[in-house]
């Protein structure tokens, strides 16, 4: 249980440290090429994912805080379950999503927007600028969904047997 809170803490610190670096090193809107397909770009996202609902990101801050509180509680509840690989993955998924949500909420509270800086692009391909918190939420949510699918498959197999 403690390891998942620790994971969330490490990811949150990494997220905030990289955003601080970007704010100190790059002027807003400035983009610096790193590789042919990667740039550091200081972008301010006042919306949510992919800049949807620009200017209304503050509406989602209470939701992100509520989700983070729920995930912290779910991690606490995992202590009662038998320690298996699936439980370990579930705890890691909760920790990643919680860290990402908190990282972006902190930005909204301190910067007035979410600081994004990782820009993946190549030729015609131009992925929206994102950050460490966004990556954590994506990996955590994908893991969580994968676990739910695996659980559904396992339940169907047990019923069929």
């Amino acid at each position: 249980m403690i390891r998942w809170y620790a994971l969330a803490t490490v990811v949150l610190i990494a997220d905030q440290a990289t955003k601080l670096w970007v704010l100190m090193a790059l002027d807003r809107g400035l983009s610096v090429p790193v590789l042919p397909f990667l740039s550091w770009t200081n972008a301010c996202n006042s919306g949510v994912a992919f800049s949807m609902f620009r200017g209304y990101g503050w509406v989602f801050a209470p939701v992100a805080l509520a989700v983070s509180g729920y995930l912290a509680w779910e991690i606490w509840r995992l202590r009662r379950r038998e320690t298996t690989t699936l439980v370990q993955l579930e705890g890691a998924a909760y920790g990643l999503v919680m860290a990402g949500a908190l990282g972006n909420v902190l930005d909204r509270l301190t910067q007035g927007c979410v600081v994004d800086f990782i820009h993946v692009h190549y030729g015609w391909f131009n992925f929206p600028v994102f950050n460490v918190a966004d990556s954590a939420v994506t990996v955590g949510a994908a893991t969580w969904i994968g676990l739910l699918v695996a659980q559904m498959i396992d339940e169907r197999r047990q019923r069929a047997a």
Side-chain angles (χ1 to χ4, degrees):
M1 171 189 64
I2 294 297
R3 74 188 72 157
W4 304 313
Y5 292 125
L7 171 65
T9 302
V10 167
V11 171
L12 180 59
I13 290 169
D15 174 64
Q16 292 299 296
T18 55
K19 291 172 179 175
L20 180 62
W21 171 77
V22 166
L23 290 171
M24 292 172 52
L26 297 174
D27 290 334
R28 188 116 335 152
L30 184 65
S31 186
V32 176
V34 177
L35 297 168
F37 58 89
L38 177 69
S39 298
W40 299 144
T41 302
N42 184 345
C44 177
N45 181 358
S46 65
V48 293
F50 306 114
S51 296
M52 293 185 299
F53 308 110
R54 281 189 185 191
Y56 293 96
W58 59 270
V59 173
F60 296 94
V63 173
L65 287 172
V67 167
S68 296
Y70 170 76
L71 293 172
W73 179 69
E74 282 296 324
I75 289 172
W76 179 254
R77 287 184 38 172
L78 286 177
R79 78 188 190 292
R80 296 183 194 148
R81 292 179 43 197
E82 180 184 344
T83 302
T84 64
T85 301
L86 293 179
V87 170
Q88 297 292 330
L89 285 171
E90 188 176 354
Y94 292 161
L96 288 171
V97 173
M98 181 172 62
L102 290 173
N104 285 340
V105 165
L106 280 173
D107 284 7
R108 291 186 199 290
L109 295 174
T110 61
Q111 303 298 321
C113 62
V114 174
V115 177
D116 290 331
F117 65 93
I118 303 168
H119 186 197
V120 178
H121 54 85
Y122 193 79
W124 59 267
F125 178 77
N126 190 25
F127 195 79
V129 184
F130 61 99
N131 59 44
V132 173
D134 298 336
S135 299
V137 169
T138 301
V139 171
T143 301
W144 198 358
I145 291 167
L147 289 169
L148 291 172
V149 169
Q151 182 181 8
M152 287 173 37
I153 291 170
D154 188 46
E155 287 173 3
R156 286 186 182 169
R157 283 186 188 152
Q158 288 177 7
R159 275 188 260 143

